[in-house]
Amino acid sequence: MPTRLSNYFLRTLRDVPSDAEVTSHILLVRAGYIRRQAPGIFAWLPLGLRVKAKIEAIVREEMAAAGAFEVHFPALLPKEPYEVTGRYEEYGPGMFRLSDRKDAGLVLAPTHEEVFTLLVKDLYSSYKDLPLTIYQIQDKYRDEARPRAGLLRGREFTMKDAYSFDATDAGLDASYQAQRDAYERIFQRLGLEYVIVKADAGAMGGSKSEEFLHPTPVGEDTFVRSAGGYAANVEAFTTIAPAPRSYENLTPAEVLDTPDTPTIQTLVDRANAAHPRPDGRLWTAADTLKNVVLALTHLDGTRELVAVGLPGDREVDMKRAEVAFAPAEIEPATDADFAKNPGLVKGYIGPWSPEGAVLGEKSSTGIRYLVDPRVSDGSGWITGSNVHGKHVFGLVAGRDFQADGTVEAAEVLAGDPAPDGSGPVELARGMEIGHVFQLGRKYAEALGLKVLDENGKLVTVTMGSYGIGVTRILAIIAELNNDDKGLIWPPAVAPFDVHVIATGKDPDIYAAAERVVADLEAQGLDVLFDDRPKVSPGVKFGDAELIGVPKIVIVGRGVVDGVVELWDRASGERTQVALDAVAASFG
Amino acid sequence: MPTRLSNYFLRTLRDVPSDAEVTSHILLVRAGYIRRQAPGIFAWLPLGLRVKAKIEAIVREEMAAAGAFEVHFPALLPKEPYEVTGRYEEYGPGMFRLSDRKDAGLVLAPTHEEVFTLLVKDLYSSYKDLPLTIYQIQDKYRDEARPRAGLLRGREFTMKDAYSFDATDAGLDASYQAQRDAYERIFQRLGLEYVIVKADAGAMGGSKSEEFLHPTPVGEDTFVRSAGGYAANVEAFTTIAPAPRSYENLTPAEVLDTPDTPTIQTLVDRANAAHPRPDGRLWTAADTLKNVVLALTHLDGTRELVAVGLPGDREVDMKRAEVAFAPAEIEPATDADFAKNPGLVKGYIGPWSPEGAVLGEKSSTGIRYLVDPRVSDGSGWITGSNVHGKHVFGLVAGRDFQADGTVEAAEVLAGDPAPDGSGPVELARGMEIGHVFQLGRKYAEALGLKVLDENGKLVTVTMGSYGIGVTRILAIIAELNNDDKGLIWPPAVAPFDVHVIATGKDPDIYAAAERVVADLEAQGLDVLFDDRPKVSPGVKFGDAELIGVPKIVIVGRGVVDGVVELWDRASGERTQVALDAVAASFG
């Protein structure tokens, strides 16, 4: 039976929803696919459910082809397994927590590593049971600080999450590759361009991780890639540290007057004007050592100041810094923090002062000092001397100051060398559409998942986890496939195969349209039939363009001549076809 | 592709799970359909998901046939709509509540009347848009005080909930009937015997309501039915009140000694011995008026004592009393309650004492006094006199004491007359498998859902709500279809159509089995193939019996003679069939 617009639960809207920021959100609401319930929480209407079901079917097919079995866990779970792995704490305010009537702690699971691990522990005991990959397609909840962009970053979303279990590292590699291959097939079938980039394993705590990003200028993730094939999420990019250099032949550091140099640029200008380089070249921002003080809030609530030293031509990239200092939360140090540390002179902060070491665990402030890998032993810098109006020139790392370690917190710039030697990188933006992790043994160890190996010895299982955001992908597809009239679904995920419109009021037209619909359905096609008798052709056409079924058949006055129009939603092209040949044209 | 047991995610278990109380729970866990995660919370394994999907498909087909459209709401919803209708309070501790990081109140929705109402309000505005019935199949959460019996009463469950919207009462009747008819078809297709009984609308606050009960001695609900066609949940049964009688010719009440009569039976015996009836008949328990004091806890937390007067041959039915006093919670009055009311003499409580009225709003205690409808005006009783060791005989309702009203709190007994005059009722037990409500205008009024009627006037929409517990039905089907070996699924919901077992180690047998499997699949049948090379036939047969696919094909040594065995799981019958004819026998 066709779906008839005369009684379908659908109301298209003219107005742009006031809270909608992105095209996919606007069009999915206007065309009657979703309705907002609360910030980041949506209801799915019949059209939306149909598209979602098509994406889920593709995911299920490729999971089955990859040998994964479907299971289903509740969203509501006891908190204890999450406490055992530490994620109950680490997730911070992003996880919804609640208690039941007996005060037992529960969570709305953000992901399900823990309970999948326990399920396998519960049922399996031998290496012969492995490899195993199981997955679910399930509604998840995360308490995002700023839910936005409609379905792109919601607090409720449907996710396919798969988990692999292997007895050996080689097994994990194979299971990981099988899921990675399945993801490539899924995105290819969905017509979604993707880049696979190295990713930081983050809160998942794994050893290897890659993200599937859809490259788009409006993406919220930045990634880098080299012509030689390197690709990484900017958070996972690593800097090539210069080799240590000898201190010999280096002149001693000297403190020089640099009044009125509140910025790196004024400092560089002043240095070139008043203190030219002995070798005659100009000082640049890359010769300066900038020191940024961050305040870390650790999971136990304690607050710690940390100074980051990096070349002055780069800013701290807060997303990279977040990853570097996770699970602590970070923010710039406040005036109150500086007030407690008079040894640090704002605008002139450096690791050293004429009175001795200022930054570092063994310094006068005791503030931990982490430097960019470029600040290698033997490198010399212009940097603050913690004396107002004065900088120190030729301060040499390892000779004049000691860092407590290195940190990957500086921004990545176009032209930086890829860590694998494949040449300079360029920067691009993308949206995350999938994520694969080699978790290793973290979860299995924490929860005691062991199996007997070939020699009868207990070995800890090694795991992977693999996620695709089903509703996020739907939104991205909508974001990519539209024009100023509405949505234009790729056939693989369109809510219907064909949208048949009967125009006018002539009963013969409606009778002809019924025959067209019957013919199309006989071919196994899903038909949306606009049979509304009192709606003008213009409104019907507008609705069809907004809804975005890729193929439209217009049955109108042409039926007296035995013809109808085929309308291609994407190209806008209309062609006449004989009434009897419509169905065959979809063959 | 068949599902091969050699690598399926399945582990059948010998042991009965320690927390399992009922057969369905035991077998579904042992056969690898579900695993418990927390009290009343389960994970679905691949076999279980398959059965669930089959039930859901039947429900979807019948919903579509009834003209209902599928949508999908999140489980996590803002609390405000539930506050507007009062259900946020009324649900008490049965609803999971939580807050987000901005302290906004959220609930895990126990049902979705409020947000469906708001969705329709959001999109529709005219009587021409109606009637409309929309539904979802969705995971729900309720914080049951005593989750038990596996899936039969869990804290997480999958439910089909539908909601109808009409502009007129006649429209609601039609929408209600369409859902009721669909429910009958669903239960018929599932092979589930059902009785439709009048039900109390309870917390839903509707005007008319019926339950679909599956009659079974182990059901947790009691219902009554008469030979004349009356059927009601015991909570919805109403008592026929005798007509008021004249007080004339009734002798005055008199207080008589009744020492050592702590129970109704001892009182009746003592009365017959010491105070025989003037007319010579024997006193019976039905001649006595028992008075039970209950403590009500109202939603605002206040505690109120209420006395219930009922014939001494009946107990208070706490479930009926719960409904009668809802949304207050009830419990028997405590010793502390009695200590505060010395006018009530335990064992001798009555509405009256020689000093005057004891129960009722205008009495010495001020305790509200509600009586069973049988305690009608002019009826005379033996009842407590609030003096230790003494009862009052011939105390006449309306003459000697005044009740504040009537209450349906007495137990229903077999032989009680049906309220519709269709004869005496019998009692039976059942399990609830579906529930249909005429909600009327309660939700639409509270949330402001109005449409323009034919005359351009705004009218409040009238609604129905209709629920089927998908996972509960699955458990009931399992509960009904099993033997001491395991499950026996009805074909309509079996996880597979055929279970093919290859026995022994002969490669020819496995090759023949592969051909049988291919033939069966070519017929469109879903096949579970036990191809495990190192598992004994006994274990394979045992697993097949436990898993419960209705049709089993055993491919063994008979293949040298070109025959295999068909094994009917339900009857246990095995018949030989030619290898080439197996698939045809499933035609």
Side-chain angles (χ1 to χ4, degrees):
Chain A
M1 283 203 308
T3 296
R4 291 169 188 274
L5 275 184
S6 58
N7 79 342
Y8 200 39
F9 181 51
L10 173 67
R11 185 66 74 249
T12 57
L13 307 171
R14 277 166 204 273
D15 297 333
V16 172
S18 58
D19 63 318
E21 301 159 358
V22 295
T23 306
S24 60
H25 187 184
I26 293 168
L27 290 177
L28 289 170
V29 170
R30 283 193 53 217
Y33 287 73
I34 58 172
R35 284 304 280 178
R36 180 180 176 278
Q37 299 298 305
I41 297 180
F42 293 85
W44 290 83
L45 307 190
L47 280 179
L49 268 192
R50 281 183 161 259
V51 177
K52 189 163 174 266
K54 292 215 174 171
I55 296 173
E56 290 175 355
I58 289 172
V59 170
R60 281 198 173 95
E61 284 169 23
E62 296 303 339
M63 285 296 110
F69 299 105
E70 186 172 0
V71 301
H72 190 82
F73 277 81
L76 185 69
L77 288 169
K79 71 173 179 180
E80 286 75 14
Y82 291 84
E83 287 182 330
V84 171
T85 61
R87 290 212 299 161
Y88 188 76
E89 289 293 316
E90 286 163 24
Y91 249 104
M95 182 156 66
F96 285 109
R97 298 171 169 84
L98 62 159
S99 297
D100 71 9
R101 66 201 294 156
K102 289 174 181 158
D103 253 345
L106 299 164
V107 302
L108 295 180
T111 61
H112 283 66
E113 279 75 4
E114 285 80 355
V115 287
F116 272 76
T117 306
L118 289 172
L119 176 66
V120 175
K121 178 183 179 184
D122 209 13
L123 295 177
Y124 277 5
S125 57
S126 162
Y127 76 98
K128 291 181 200 161
D129 298 328
L130 306 180
L132 169 71
T133 299
I134 45 184
Y135 77 99
Q136 62 180 352
I137 296 180
Q138 196 257 356
D139 292 343
K140 295 198 153 35
Y141 300 89
R142 289 188 201 163
D143 199 357
E144 292 281 347
R146 286 169 296 278
R148 62 186 181 280
L151 301 174
L152 288 173
R153 186 158 295 270
R155 296 199 291 174
E156 188 254 351
F157 51 94
T158 305
M159 185 168 163
K160 186 288 299 176
D161 44 329
Y163 304 88
S164 70
F165 300 85
D166 281 278
T168 65
D169 292 348
L172 171 56
D173 283 339
S175 295
Y176 180 90
Q177 192 63 39
Q179 282 289 309
R180 193 179 187 274
D181 292 346
Y183 277 33
E184 295 209 54
R185 293 193 302 269
I186 290 167
F187 296 128
Q188 284 160 16
R189 289 180 64 179
L190 293 172
L192 263 184
E193 195 193 339
Y194 60 91
V195 180
I196 305 177
V197 305
K198 286 190 175 46
D200 177 78
M204 308 307 302
S207 50
K208 179 182 173 184
S209 156
E210 289 170 294
E211 267 179 27
F212 287 74
L213 294 180
H214 174 75
T216 162
V218 301
E220 58 186 7
D221 291 320
T222 305
F223 67 99
V224 299
R225 52 185 165 188
S226 74
Y230 175 80
N233 193 309
V234 77
E235 286 89 343
F237 179 86
T238 52
T239 307
I240 299 179
R245 278 158 283 177
S246 162
Y247 313 141
E248 286 179 43
N249 307 326
L250 294 181
T251 53
E254 83 188 299
V255 175
L256 298 172
D257 282 335
T258 51
D260 303 325
T261 54
T263 65
I264 294 291
Q265 191 53 52
T266 52
L267 171 61
V268 169
D269 292 345
R270 178 87 198 174
N272 282 321
H275 314 290
R277 270 174 83 126
D279 62 8
R281 287 196 289 130
L282 287 177
W283 296 115
T284 71
D287 297 314
T288 68
L289 174 62
K290 178 195 302 194
N291 296 286
V292 176
V293 187
L294 298 175
L296 273 52
T297 305
H298 293 287
L299 284 179
D300 63 6
T302 58
R303 187 177 171 92
E304 181 200 359
L305 295 187
V306 171
V308 173
L310 70 166
D313 60 340
R314 290 170 196 267
E315 304 293 334
V316 168
D317 179 325
M318 289 300 273
K319 279 192 168 180
R320 278 168 56 78
E322 266 172 29
V323 168
F325 291 112
E329 296 196 355
I330 60 170
E331 60 172 347
T334 62
D335 286 345
D337 291 322
F338 284 108
K340 286 184 200 152
N341 288 281
L344 299 178
V345 178
K346 265 183 101 170
Y348 298 88
I349 297 173
W352 174 93
S353 83
E355 325 225 312
V358 172
L359 293 174
E361 289 181 357
K362 293 174 184 165
S363 70
S364 60
T365 60
I367 291 173
R368 195 145 60 102
Y369 186 47
L370 301 173
V371 295
D372 185 79
R374 294 172 192 84
V375 186
S376 58
D377 258 22
S379 61
W381 303 89
I382 303 174
T383 190
S385 68
N386 298 297
V387 177
H388 194 83
K390 292 177 191 292
H391 279 83
V392 56
F393 284 61
L395 195 75
V396 173
R399 183 189 73 179
D400 302 325
F401 68 94
Q402 306 292 336
D404 298 312
T406 59
V407 67
E408 290 281 0
E411 65 184 327
V412 182
L413 298 176
D416 283 349
D420 64 355
S422 63
V425 299
E426 58 165 18
L427 281 101
R429 297 189 72 81
M431 282 186 195
E432 184 183 340
I433 53 178
H435 208 151
V436 289
F437 291 96
Q438 290 200 1
L439 298 174
R441 296 183 172 80
K442 170 183 162 163
Y443 290 88
E445 232 150 49
L447 296 161
L449 169 57
K450 294 170 195 277
V451 293
L452 292 172
D453 72 6
E454 289 166 303
N455 306 312
K457 276 191 183 166
L458 276 176
V459 294
T460 300
V461 168
T462 182
M463 293 170 51
S465 91
Y466 316 95
I468 281 185
V470 170
T471 46
R472 184 155 216 250
I473 281 176
L474 185 151
I476 291 175
I477 294 173
E479 195 72 30
L480 296 172
N481 296 280
N482 61 72
D483 61 17
D484 60 343
K485 303 286 176 50
L487 294 157
I488 310 169
W489 292 106
V493 300
F496 293 92
D497 299 312
V498 196
H499 186 151
V500 175
I501 299 173
T503 63
K505 293 184 176 177
D506 182 346
D508 288 347
I509 290 174
Y510 285 80
E514 293 280 358
R515 286 198 303 278
V516 167
V517 167
D519 287 352
L520 291 167
E521 293 204 308
Q523 298 238 57
L525 298 169
D526 274 338
V527 181
L528 179 63
F529 180 22
D530 194 344
D531 62 339
R532 293 174 292 177
K534 293 184 182 172
V535 174
S536 75
V539 169
K540 289 182 178 179
F541 297 161
D543 279 347
E545 289 178 306
L546 184 56
I547 291 168
V549 175
K551 298 287 176 195
I552 305 163
V553 178
I554 305 169
V555 184
R557 276 172 302 182
V559 297
V560 296
D561 305 317
V563 294
V564 301
E565 276 189 303
L566 290 192
W567 183 14
D568 184 86
R569 172 69 185 91
S571 69
E573 199 183 344
R574 295 194 188 193
T575 48
Q576 288 209 332
V577 179
L579 196 51
D580 301 339
V582 176
S585 75
F586 284 85
Chain B
M1 285 202 310
T3 296
R4 291 169 188 274
L5 275 184
S6 57
N7 79 342
Y8 199 40
F9 181 51
L10 173 67
R11 187 65 76 248
T12 57
L13 307 172
R14 279 167 202 272
D15 297 333
V16 172
S18 59
D19 62 319
E21 300 160 357
V22 296
T23 307
S24 59
H25 187 184
I26 293 168
L27 290 177
L28 289 170
V29 170
R30 283 193 53 217
Y33 286 73
I34 58 172
R35 284 302 281 177
R36 179 181 177 279
Q37 299 298 305
I41 297 181
F42 293 86
W44 289 83
L45 307 189
L47 281 178
L49 269 193
R50 281 184 162 259
V51 177
K52 188 162 173 269
K54 293 217 174 172
I55 295 173
E56 290 175 356
I58 290 172
V59 170
R60 282 198 172 92
E61 284 169 23
E62 296 303 339
M63 284 296 110
F69 299 106
E70 186 172 1
V71 300
H72 189 83
F73 277 80
L76 185 69
L77 288 170
K79 71 173 178 181
E80 287 75 13
Y82 292 84
E83 287 181 331
V84 171
T85 60
R87 289 211 299 161
Y88 188 76
E89 289 293 315
E90 286 164 24
Y91 248 104
M95 182 156 66
F96 285 109
R97 297 170 169 86
L98 63 160
S99 297
D100 70 10
R101 60 159 85 215
K102 290 175 180 156
D103 253 345
L106 298 163
V107 301
L108 294 180
T111 61
H112 282 65
E113 278 76 3
E114 284 81 355
V115 288
F116 272 76
T117 305
L118 289 172
L119 176 66
V120 174
K121 177 184 178 183
D122 209 12
L123 296 176
Y124 277 4
S125 57
S126 161
Y127 76 98
K128 290 179 199 161
D129 298 327
L130 305 181
L132 169 71
T133 298
I134 45 183
Y135 76 99
Q136 62 181 352
I137 295 180
Q138 196 257 356
D139 291 344
K140 293 197 156 35
Y141 300 90
R142 290 187 200 164
D143 199 357
E144 292 281 346
R146 285 171 297 279
R148 62 186 181 280
L151 302 174
L152 288 174
R153 185 158 294 269
R155 297 198 292 172
E156 188 254 350
F157 51 93
T158 305
M159 185 166 161
K160 185 287 297 177
D161 44 329
Y163 305 88
S164 69
F165 300 86
D166 282 278
T168 64
D169 292 347
L172 171 56
D173 283 341
S175 296
Y176 180 91
Q177 191 64 37
Q179 283 289 310
R180 193 179 187 274
D181 291 347
Y183 278 33
E184 295 209 55
R185 293 193 302 270
I186 290 167
F187 295 127
Q188 285 159 15
R189 289 180 63 179
L190 293 172
L192 263 184
E193 193 192 341
Y194 60 90
V195 180
I196 305 176
V197 305
K198 285 189 177 49
D200 177 76
M204 308 306 304
S207 50
K208 178 182 172 183
S209 156
E210 290 171 293
E211 266 178 27
F212 287 74
L213 294 179
H214 173 74
T216 162
V218 301
E220 59 186 7
D221 291 319
T222 305
F223 67 98
V224 298
R225 53 184 164 188
S226 74
Y230 176 81
N233 192 308
V234 77
E235 286 89 341
F237 178 87
T238 52
T239 307
I240 299 178
R245 281 160 279 179
S246 160
Y247 314 142
E248 283 181 44
N249 307 327
L250 294 181
T251 52
E254 76 186 305
V255 176
L256 298 172
D257 282 334
T258 52
D260 304 324
T261 55
T263 64
I264 294 291
Q265 191 52 50
T266 51
L267 171 62
V268 169
D269 292 346
R270 178 85 199 177
N272 281 321
H275 313 291
R277 270 174 82 126
D279 63 7
R281 286 197 291 132
L282 286 179
W283 296 114
T284 72
D287 297 314
T288 69
L289 174 62
K290 178 195 303 194
N291 297 285
V292 177
V293 186
L294 298 175
L296 272 52
T297 306
H298 294 287
L299 285 179
D300 62 7
T302 57
R303 188 177 170 91
E304 181 201 359
L305 295 186
V306 172
V308 173
L310 69 168
D313 59 341
R314 291 170 196 266
E315 303 294 333
V316 168
D317 179 324
M318 288 302 272
K319 280 191 166 182
R320 280 169 54 79
E322 266 172 28
V323 169
F325 290 112
E329 296 197 353
I330 59 170
E331 59 172 349
T334 61
D335 286 345
D337 291 321
F338 283 109
K340 286 182 201 155
N341 288 281
L344 299 179
V345 178
K346 265 184 98 170
Y348 298 89
I349 297 173
W352 173 94
S353 83
E355 324 223 313
V358 171
L359 293 174
E361 289 180 359
K362 295 174 183 166
S363 70
S364 59
T365 60
I367 292 174
R368 195 145 59 101
Y369 187 47
L370 301 174
V371 296
D372 185 80
R374 294 171 193 85
V375 186
S376 57
D377 260 21
S379 61
W381 304 91
I382 304 174
T383 191
S385 68
N386 297 296
V387 176
H388 195 83
K390 292 178 192 294
H391 280 82
V392 55
F393 285 61
L395 195 74
V396 174
R399 182 189 73 179
D400 303 324
F401 69 94
Q402 304 293 336
D404 298 312
T406 60
V407 65
E408 289 282 359
E411 66 184 326
V412 182
L413 298 176
D416 282 349
D420 65 354
S422 63
V425 300
E426 56 166 18
L427 280 97
R429 295 188 74 80
M431 283 186 194
E432 184 183 339
I433 52 178
H435 207 152
V436 289
F437 291 96
Q438 290 200 359
L439 298 173
R441 296 181 172 80
K442 170 182 163 164
Y443 291 88
E445 232 151 47
L447 296 160
L449 169 57
K450 293 170 196 279
V451 293
L452 292 171
D453 72 5
E454 288 167 304
N455 306 312
K457 277 191 183 166
L458 276 176
V459 294
T460 300
V461 167
T462 182
M463 293 170 51
S465 91
Y466 316 95
I468 280 185
V470 170
T471 46
R472 182 156 218 250
I473 281 176
L474 185 151
I476 292 175
I477 294 173
E479 194 73 31
L480 295 172
N481 296 279
N482 63 70
D483 60 17
D484 58 345
K485 304 285 176 50
L487 294 158
I488 310 168
W489 292 106
V493 300
F496 293 92
D497 299 314
V498 195
H499 185 150
V500 175
I501 299 173
T503 63
K505 294 183 178 176
D506 184 345
D508 289 346
I509 289 173
Y510 285 79
E514 293 279 357
R515 287 197 302 278
V516 167
V517 167
D519 288 351
L520 291 167
E521 292 204 310
Q523 298 239 54
L525 297 170
D526 275 338
V527 180
L528 179 63
F529 180 21
D530 195 343
D531 61 341
R532 292 175 293 178
K534 294 186 181 169
V535 174
S536 75
V539 169
K540 289 181 177 180
F541 296 160
D543 279 348
E545 289 177 306
L546 184 55
I547 292 168
V549 174
K551 298 287 176 193
I552 304 164
V553 178
I554 304 169
V555 184
R557 276 172 300 183
V559 296
V560 297
D561 304 318
V563 293
V564 300
E565 274 188 306
L566 290 193
W567 183 12
D568 185 86
R569 172 68 185 90
S571 68
E573 199 183 344
R574 295 192 188 196
T575 48
Q576 289 210 330
V577 178
L579 197 48
D580 300 339
V582 176
S585 75
F586 284 85

